[in-house]
Amino acid sequence: MSSTLKPLTRRPAWKALAVHQKKIKGRHLRELFAADPKRGERLTAEAAGLFLDYSKNRVSAETLKLLQRLATESGLRQRIDAMFAGDKINITENRAVLHVALRAPKGATILVDGKNVVPEVHAVLDKMVAFADRVRSGRWLGHTGKRIRNVVNIGIGGSDLGPVMAYEALKFYSDRNLTFRFVSNVDGADFVEAVHDLNPAETLFIVSSKTFTTQETMTNAQSARGWLLKGLGGSTKAVAKHFVAVSTNAEKVSAFGIDTANMFGFWDWVGGRYSMDSAIGLSTMLAVGPKSFRAMLAGFHAMDEHFRTAPFAKNLPVLMALLSVWNNNFLGAETVAVLPYENYLKRFPAYLQQLTMESNGKHVTLAGKAVDYQTSPIYWGEPGTNGQHSFYQLIHQGTRLIPCDFIAFAHALTPLGRHHDILLANVFAQAEALAFGKTPAEVKAEGTADWLVPHRVFEGNRPSNTILAERLTPEILGALVALYEHIVFTQGAIWDVNPFDQWGVELGKALAQRIVPELESRSSPNLKHDSSTNHLIRRYRKMKSSR
Ligand code: G6Q
């Protein structure tokens, strides 16, 4: 498909945007709002329980029209249809990309190589439900006959960030009789601290690994096995009662000693960073229960349907993606700050870092040609209001343009006095201050001494989106994650890159495998790296032998 497209910078809409950018560059959001008193009501859209206000972006009606034309000229419609049809759009790995099938309702049909995958998805879901019910009700017993009180998910990257984020986001709905921990880092401190206060007889490990070969996860899983057996008297029979696996690799799961009856599968058409709603979400289901998990899937599906069917002009993921392309490629913004004013979403920015940057951090097109434009911006963020007391200074008065996505909810899950109104007053105030700033005349009028005026001026004209929803429910979390998944998809379509591979992660992994024996060998290894790496290895070996 992409071969029939013109290179991005030669598409008519792109060229028109480049010309248009010169016109709009000098216009301030103050002017844009003054010229259109209803702008704040007009430049909004709504879907799947999420209300989006994008009026505080540096765009005119013309900009939006050109951006939507760019989406059309980039073949976005065809790409969306190809994804939902199960086409192998992950061309470098020859795979379909079907996280949308994970939340398709029973009875839907999505074909991969001529086979409907939806029944398999629901079979795994049903198996997860049966297991979750046994653990949550206390019917699943550990090796010594005690019920499970602690669940430890071992996984990394896509097999960790989604589960951690979802657990934190939905903690309000979780069973407080169960303790959840997440171990990802190969740094032993992660595992040691996670199990420090846990009783092995009451602990269940979920080894989450699509490939079941990932160095960090396998190392942690082996340590967990050792810790468990040591605590329970050494019988390897204990493993079956305290370990389950989430993987696509039955052979390796069984070689580890986990009964494949306790393995929850998924498929090669689910990318790691798109897998939190697959069996990788087993810890989420154990925490919040099957009903809430299914509600989350329904939220994902509602956003999928919106993305698939809504016209681009009203399509939340498409609009947000196009605005990010505008900010990134035409206004020169290098990052996007994601700022949830909801403490339960504290891990959401970290989750998005992988989703966005591992997906679109690419430098060649689908056809393998080097791009001559920027691809993914850097995503980062922290929950509000905390960030306001640290890095917001740079967003308000620094020299860089940092578009912000504010996320807020009308209702607190844990209402407490005036807290929520104060929280929401802050999010609205920040977006307002960023957009409109404070002019020298306004600063002067406050009686500020002349020499101090420049320091207290806020230029404004800083773009932001505000997403507002009723409350953080499992449905809304699903819709929110799907929103960003489809933003990433749309960006990838415009930039003509493959958001579904991650070859950049491979080189470091392969090199680490080579260096491990060089650190562990008793005799001096014959090092063949560059002089810096060789020297660091020698120095480390010396330091570790003289403890
Ligand atoms: C995600 C990446 C990566 C992956 C981890 C864990 O899209 O592919 O983050 O999830 O490397 O891989 P396993 O699940 O195979 O252990």
Side-chain angles (χ1 to χ4, degrees), residues 155-161 208-214 217-218 266 271-275 280 354 358 502 505 509:
I156 196 164
S159 301
D160 168 70
L161 288 158
S208 296
S209 176
K210 183 172 166 181
T211 54
F212 230 73
T213 56
T214 305
T217 302
M218 291 305 110
F266 58 118
R273 54 194 173 276
Y274 298 89
S275 68
I280 289 290
Q354 180 187 29
E358 197 170 27
Q502 57 284 315
V505 182
K509 275 193 188 179

Side-chain angles (χ1 to χ4, degrees), residues 324-463:
S324 74
V325 168
W326 171 247
N327 288 330
N328 180 50
N329 297 99
F330 295 95
L331 300 186
E334 286 169 338
T335 80
V336 178
V338 181
L339 308 163
Y341 278 62
E342 169 55 82
N343 216 51
Y344 287 112
L345 286 180
K346 60 182 173 207
R347 295 290 292 169
F348 192 60
Y351 171 78
L352 284 188
Q353 285 183 352
Q354 180 187 29
L355 180 67
T356 56
M357 295 196 276
E358 197 170 27
S359 295
N360 284 331
K362 305 290 160 64
H363 74 299
V364 295
T365 64
L366 287 172
K369 297 245 160 55
V371 298
D372 54 358
Y373 43 85
Q374 295 286 357
T375 58
S376 182
I378 298 153
Y379 280 77
W380 59 287
E382 277 288 319
T385 58
N386 296 3
Q388 289 176 208
H389 299 266
S390 67
F391 55 79
Y392 277 40
Q393 166 62 33
L394 184 149
I395 306 180
H396 282 289
Q397 287 191 310
T399 53
R400 295 173 192 280
L401 186 68
I402 308 206
C404 301
D405 287 353
F406 291 104
I407 302 172
F409 298 88
H411 301 280
L413 295 177
T414 49
L416 182 63
R418 298 172 59 220
H419 285 240
H420 201 64
D421 283 340
I422 296 174
L423 179 71
L424 271 280
N426 272 280
V427 70
F428 298 145
Q430 288 299 325
E432 186 179 18
L434 286 169
F436 303 104
K438 208 177 200 187
T439 62
E442 285 167 341
V443 177
K444 248 187 190 156
E446 288 172 349
T448 310
D450 281 357
W451 68 269
L452 195 54
V453 170
H455 298 275
R456 300 193 56 172
V457 163
F458 289 72
E459 280 173 356
N461 217 14
R462 268 69 168 162

Side-chain angles (χ1 to χ4, degrees), residues 20-35:
H20 170 75
Q21 181 267 353
K22 295 199 176 78
K23 261 196 284 168
I24 206 148
K25 211 169 76 187
R27 300 199 68 187
H28 198 287
L29 279 166
R30 279 195 289 256
E31 283 173 54
L32 293 170
F33 270 83

Side-chain angles (χ1 to χ4, degrees), residues 145-176:
K146 291 198 159 166
R147 69 182 285 178
I148 297 301
R149 303 253 174 227
N150 318 306
V151 176
V152 182
N153 186 74
I154 299 180
I156 196 164
S159 301
D160 168 70
L161 288 158
V164 176
M165 183 278 288
Y167 171 68
E168 292 294 343
L170 301 179
K171 200 173 195 168
F172 175 78
Y173 304 92
S174 71
D175 180 348
R176 303 303 172 110

